[in-house]
Each structure stands twice: as structure tokens, then as C-alpha cells.
Amino acid sequence: MSSRVTLKQIARELDVSVMTVSRALNNRSNVDHSTRQKVLETAQRLGYRPNHIARSLVMNKTNTIGVIVPEITHSFFPEVIRGIEQTVHQNDYQLILMHSMENQEREAQAITTLESKRVDGLLISTAETVENYENYQKLIDESYPLVFFDRCVFDIGASCVGVNDRTSAREVTEHLIEHGYKKIAHLHGPEKVSIGKNRLDGFLEAMQQHDLEVRDDWLVPSALQEKGGYQAMNQLLDLPESSRPRAIVAVNDPSAFGAMHAIYEAGLDVPDDFAIVGFSDDIRAKLMSSPLTTIRQPAYEVGKKASEKLISLIEDPEEEIEQLIVPTELVVRESCGCPAEEETHKMSRFMEFAE
Amino acid sequence: MSSRVTLKQIARELDVSVMTVSRALNNRSNVDHSTRQKVLETAQRLGYRPNHIARSLVMNKTNTIGVIVPEITHSFFPEVIRGIEQTVHQNDYQLILMHSMENQEREAQAITTLESKRVDGLLISTAETVENYENYQKLIDESYPLVFFDRCVFDIGASCVGVNDRTSAREVTEHLIEHGYKKIAHLHGPEKVSIGKNRLDGFLEAMQQHDLEVRDDWLVPSALQEKGGYQAMNQLLDLPESSRPRAIVAVNDPSAFGAMHAIYEAGLDVPDDFAIVGFSDDIRAKLMSSPLTTIRQPAYEVGKKASEKLISLIEDPEEEIEQLIVPTELVVRESCGCPAEEETHKMSRFMEFAE
DNA sequence: ATTAGGTATGTAAGCGCTTGCAGCAGGAGT
DNA sequence: ACTCCTGCTGCAAGCGCTTACATACCTAAT
């Protein structure tokens, strides 16, 4: 640690120049075979570890990408990170992980830090409280490689990998409609976050297309965590019984869980009193006492695609900006009170690995 | 990006030396007030971001720690990472995350990479397939700051933050014994991983203390994921009915989930045919159709303590090596077939946030 | 007036590595 | 004999920043 071995030491040991050692270690062509052997040997013997810091300084390249996620507690983002890790590792990059805690200020800090660390590119999923896109705009103006994932920012000149939130939200809403529900409420996310706006749009589209009334007080803002859904649902429960909705489209699964909690707490039931659907297929969705109908997002895939795009962007400045959509899948379970074919076996609710 | 601004540019702009700029930006005392103002202003205007790479090179300090986790899919490690992130952020460090995928080779690679990145210290939870401790020993010999977490390596001269696996395993086993079970099997983890060995020891201790027979074929090796538990349980189910155990202590929750899967698949039930207990209180444990009795490990706390210890170690070479134990808690649910007081309400199984 | 001491700035060197170019062999080509 | 090319090696400079030391100026003390 204190006495880290350097090129110089190897050079002195063998009485050659630093350059020869550098070349030998970097597999350059113009080094005599026997010299290279000797260098490799001594490097090994001395326990040489190349100093990436020095290398990065001169090469102006760190082979590191920064990842900013808004939260990391449950299943979605860890799974995305797994996907990112995989690609990044295969391409000889590393990943610095930062965590905005759904907070714009911490996100801004994270960006600054990562810039200072001279990461080669950035992967961002915007925080819930993001109010403006200045920080992103600055990055793009400096043509810093940047790819958004899951929560996108459009029309700003950055690539994004996500799902088609609007279409998927419409699909899940239509599923409710097709099964006879007419009084449908939406617990919607923040409008500045793409998933909030797009899922709301998808919901509205489905409702309009089927000529269903969208009451103002059935559009309840919900934060993206359990608590948000809980509070939003309680707002609906405060309505006189006659003007309550019969079904709920939640902006995501955690929000739906929170809503379910509020429903049970009020002594009511899912799906008998309220049908409810979520979005993202959280690991817990299928395990709920009334398993949640939801939209499955291929998180691993999102991470993989996003990091692949970013690395292309880094390595080829000609690489074009684009929006990548990974397909989702409607997963019908009991919470919507529609006949589902899925998941008959007690335990298959849980297991997927079985050979 | 291409034209990043440097101290030199600010210096030229103001017609002062690089040093003055450096001093102003680093809040050193000996800079004229008006000069400092001007520097700060231009730095702001030009969008200066200090180059941590250059700084690290000369200071021989990166303010970065490396974290190696064996997996990141479910709840435990993400939660640990949250704890780490928190401390690290508060202390102005950053975190490079690496993922060994339970594989010794990838872990070794990760260590090398992190050394090359000159991280100031390492936080490691050993991979399941780790067969020897050479890589760790080398780090310690170089007195590279190193703290293990959750899965520890003892007697090697490194600090560790974890739970008392032996005592906790004994506790959960005794819980079964106290409720009348005598024929108890253990799905044990790899011996080279502390949690494997210590939980096995705890299990054996409890059994011996109560003069219960420990049949060889009731000690079944299980990997630490669902699949391992599934295979191990099937081995028990292959025994003639009369020599099957009545209760199962699984090395961790995922292993228990796998075992439950095997049990259901065999048309049997939990806890009526097999009582089962796990370890770690995975986010899914309480949601199983027969909620899992388990040992709750305070993951966030483990991450927090481990990173605090590491940072102390980095900043004060006198800081002593120690083993930190965070307390666990037995969580009794239905899977062990013992009367549980907990969790009466349908949904409280799930929610903790409620105000 | 002379000196010591403080304040504000600049100069030099170097962290460990790379790129660019120069140098020196020796073998081939005319 | 001469140049020319190829193969291997070394030298110099510099990435952006810091520490250590030197310099200039100014004020207070003798």
C-alpha cells in the first residue's frame, strides 16, 4: 500500500528504461521477446499493479462510467444495476454508483462528483423531485456522453432506454375496462418524471378512447414509494362512498402496495371493493395476499441496453442519439379481479428458477 | 467534455499563476481576498470542475472505496449498500461497486481492478466459491485497509462487521427444539464462507446441548441461492419417509425458499409436514404463503458500521482491527408451526412505513 | 535607517504514466 | 561503398494538480 511498485522500479531492477517496461506491459509490438518476458516476470514477482490514475490522467480516459439511481431498496434498480454491471465488466469498464435518494440536490451533487472523477459517461435515472433539466442540459452542451434509463428526459438531446410507459399504462387500464370497470382512478406520479407523465397520458388515452369519465378527484398525485400510494388512496377513501372509484391504476407497484395497505386498513378488500393494478412487477407483487396485476419491465435488459448504448456513445462520437424501447408484458394476477390463467400452483407464484 | 477547463486556463484568464488559483479554490489562507473572489468567479463562469484524477495522482489518495458484493438481486445487499452509500457520502468519499457473482475468480479480478484504481480501502463480502484467502492475505500484507462485512474471514488480521451467526443459528434452532421438534435437518452453506461454517456450528451446538441426534444425511450442503435449497431439500425428500426430518434449518432465506418450493412440489406442506426456518429476513420472507420464521439481520446497519470502520482505518493507521457484531432478532412466523404473536393483520405482513 | 516578520504571489519539481520523436544497431537493396 | 528500411530502445515533454521553497512587497519593531 505505502510502497506501491511502479514502472520505474521494474525498469531499475532490469536496467532498462521506463518506456521499455511500459511497452512490454501494454503488449506493444516493438519490444524484444526476451525483454518482454523478463519484464512480465519481474512485474509479477514484485506484485506490480498498473496505476489507473496516472494512466487516466495522461490518456484523458478513465474507463469508468457513473450511474445515478434514485433508490436502491427494492427489486427494480438492483436488477438494472446487475444488467449494467454485466455489460460494463465485459467491456473493461468500471462503474461508480451514486444514489440520489429521489432528491434533485443530491443528484446534482452526484453529477458534479462524477464529472470531477472524469467518468467517461453517465447513466442517469432522474430523481423524483427533479424540477428542471438544467444540470442535464449542461452535460449535453459539453457533449458529455449521457444515457437516461427508465425515467427519461426527452427532447434534450440525450439517448434513453426505457419502456413505452404510455402504451403500457394504456394497456393495463384497458385491461380493467375490458373487464367491465368504468369508475377508474389513477394514482399518478410527478409530471417532471417521464414515468409520471407518460403513464398518466396512457391512462387518460385509454379512458377517453372508451368514453369513460375521468373525474378530477380521481386523479390523485402519488409519490413513487409505498407511502405516496398510501396517502393517495386515503384521499380516495375520504370521498363519499357513492363517488369512490371501483378500480385503481397506480403509477408503480410500490404505490399500489401502499394503496392496498390503505384499503385493508379501512376494512375493505382487494379486488372485491377495489380492483387495483400496478406497474413494474416488483419482486413482491406476486406474493401479496391479493397478488398484483402489473406491467413487467425487463429491468436487467434496461440496464444492459442502456450501458451498451453509453459505451457506444463513448467509443464512437458518431453514434447517434436514440430512444430505445424494451417491450413490457402485462401480468394478470388476482388484484384486478379478472380471471387469470396464471399461477395455479401455490408456490409457482414465487419460483422461477426451477430447472 | 473535450475542452475541459483547467487551473491553467483560469490562471491565464486572470493573469496570475496556477498556484494562486489552486490556493484560492482550495480555501487556503494566504490569498488576497479580492484575488480569491475573482478566481471563484471565473471558475464559476468557465464551469471549472476540479480534476480528481490529477489530484489523486499527486496526493496518492482517491477518496474512493471499493465495495465487492457477491450478489445484488434481492434485499440484503442492496440494503447494505444503502448503508455504505450513506456513510461514504457523508465523509466525502465515493463508492465503486463491484459484483463477484459468488465467484472467486471474478472477485479476484475485482480486487485487482480496485487496486489499480487506487481505492483507499476495500469492503468485501466473500463470494460463495472462495476456496482460499490468498488474495485477502496479500492485501493485508500490503496493509491495504480492508473490512469484511456479513461474510467474514477471521484470524487473518482484518476487521469485520457482521452478526453473530453462530449464536443466531443456535437461537433459531433452539426455537424449533423448544416447540417440540426433535428430528431437525440443516441445509448448510459452504464452510469456507463464515456464514456457512458459523451457522452450522450454531445448529450443531443447539442440537448437542439438547441431546438430539444429528444424522449425517440430515446435514445437507446447500448453495446460498434458491436453487441450492431446492436441490438440498430434494435430497432429504429422497430419503425413505421414516428417516426424514420433521424440521429444517436453512442456511439463509433464499435457500429456505428453494426448500419450500421442493416441499410444495412434492405435494407436502409447510409447516404441517416440514417446519422450516431461514436466516436474514429477506423482503419476501413475510410474504410467502407460509411466512418464514427467520433471523432478522440489520443490513443497513451492517453497511453503515462497516464503512465507518473502513474510513477510520483509512484515516487513522492506528485504528485497531476488530470484529463488530450487530445484534439480530428472531422473527417468528408461521413456517415453523410455532404459535406466533406477530402479524395478525392481513397487510401488516407487508407494510412498515405507516406513520 | 535597519532588520525581522508577515502577506501575497511565483517557481520548480514531481506524482506514474503515455505519446512523439530521435538514436542506434544490423540486414537488404542498388 | 552508400542509402534505406526495419527492429528495438531511450529521451523529453506533459497530462492537471500539489508540496516545498523562493521572492517580492509591506509594516512594525529596534
Side-chain angles (χ1 to χ4, degrees), chain A residues 23-295:
Chain A
R23 278 192 277 252
L25 255 21
N26 285 296
N27 266 317
R28 297 304 170 76
S29 54
N30 47 353
V31 184
D32 187 74
H33 185 72
S34 77
T35 317
R36 161 167 297 137
Q37 281 312 321
K38 274 187 286 184
V39 169
L40 258 33
E41 214 170 85
T42 9
Q44 171 76 25
R45 179 163 53 79
L46 266 40
Y48 173 77
R49 296 271 181 284
N51 187 331
H52 278 16
I53 297 289
R55 184 174 237 259
S56 295
L57 181 60
V58 35
M59 310 267 279
N60 201 24
K61 176 99 173 17
T62 54
N63 264 52
T64 304
I65 67 163
V67 179
I68 306 178
V69 295
E71 57 107 349
I72 173 181
T73 30
H74 297 137
S75 56
F76 184 74
F77 285 109
E79 189 65 13
V80 175
I81 293 171
R82 260 191 62 224
I84 297 172
E85 229 288 326
Q86 184 66 16
T87 320
V88 147
H89 181 258
Q90 269 168 14
N91 290 274
D92 256 314
Y93 279 69
Q94 282 84 238
L95 166 175
I96 298 192
L97 179 71
M98 311 222 69
H99 180 200
S100 66
M101 298 177 49
E102 298 282 17
N103 176 340
Q104 174 159 35
E105 202 176 324
R106 273 201 61 157
E107 187 183 282
Q109 264 184 295
I111 293 174
T112 307
T113 304
L114 291 170
E115 281 189 280
S116 278
K117 287 243 153 200
R118 295 295 190 267
V119 295
D120 295 333
L122 249 33
L123 240 33
I124 301 182
S125 197
T126 63
E128 185 177 347
T129 62
V130 162
E131 290 290 338
N132 62 66
Y133 304 144
E134 283 173 30
N135 295 314
Y136 308 143
Q137 193 60 64
K138 226 177 285 175
L139 289 172
I140 292 160
D141 291 347
E142 291 171 345
S143 62
Y144 216 117
L146 167 62
V147 174
F148 291 103
F149 62 99
D150 186 45
R151 307 187 186 171
C152 298
V153 176
F154 300 104
D155 305 324
I156 193 179
S159 290
C160 178
V161 177
V163 303
N164 194 327
D165 287 291
R166 197 169 44 74
T167 313
S168 304
R170 196 177 60 203
E171 184 183 359
V172 72
T173 308
E174 275 174 342
H175 180 79
L176 288 173
I177 297 172
E178 279 160 16
H179 285 81
Y181 296 103
K182 293 191 186 326
K183 299 160 70 174
I184 310 179
H186 180 39
L187 315 184
H188 66 86
E191 294 223 23
K192 278 287 177 186
V193 180
S194 66
I195 61 171
K197 171 160 183 16
N198 294 335
R199 292 176 193 176
L200 172 60
D201 287 350
F203 168 78
L204 293 175
E205 242 176 73
M207 294 296 277
Q208 276 155 16
Q209 204 148 0
H210 293 263
D211 288 320
L212 293 173
E213 183 193 14
V214 180
R215 290 178 49 142
D216 274 358
D217 50 6
W218 289 357
L219 289 178
V220 195
S222 160
L224 300 169
Q225 298 78 40
E226 284 82 346
K227 196 164 181 172
Y230 177 81
Q231 290 167 340
M233 188 66 215
N234 274 326
Q235 233 171 291
L236 290 173
L237 289 166
D238 284 345
L239 296 174
E241 205 160 327
S242 59
S243 39
R244 286 185 194 158
R246 175 67 183 81
I248 316 283
V249 176
V251 61
N252 64 3
D253 282 4
S255 172
F257 298 150
M260 287 167 99
H261 185 44
I263 293 168
Y264 291 136
E265 214 175 61
L268 299 169
D269 203 51
V270 172
D272 296 344
D273 296 301
F274 293 99
I276 184 162
V277 298
F279 203 115
S280 69
D281 201 23
D282 187 286
I283 195 170
R284 295 162 294 174
K286 60 176 70 155
L287 302 172
M288 304 305 291
S289 51
S290 180
L292 187 64
T293 292
T294 189
I295 292 283

Side-chain angles (χ1 to χ4, degrees), chain B residues 100-131:
Chain B
S100 66
M101 298 176 49
E102 297 283 16
N103 175 339
Q104 174 159 35
E105 202 177 323
R106 275 202 60 157
E107 187 183 282
Q109 265 185 297
I111 293 175
T112 307
T113 303
L114 291 170
E115 280 189 281
S116 279
K117 288 242 152 200
R118 295 296 191 267
V119 295
D120 295 333
L122 250 33
L123 239 33
I124 301 183
S125 197
T126 62
E128 185 177 347
T129 62
V130 162
E131 291 290 338

Side-chain angles (χ1 to χ4, degrees), chain B residues 250-270:
Chain B
V251 62
N252 65 2
D253 282 4
S255 172
F257 298 150
M260 287 167 98
H261 185 43
I263 294 168
Y264 292 136
E265 214 175 61
L268 298 170
D269 203 52
V270 172

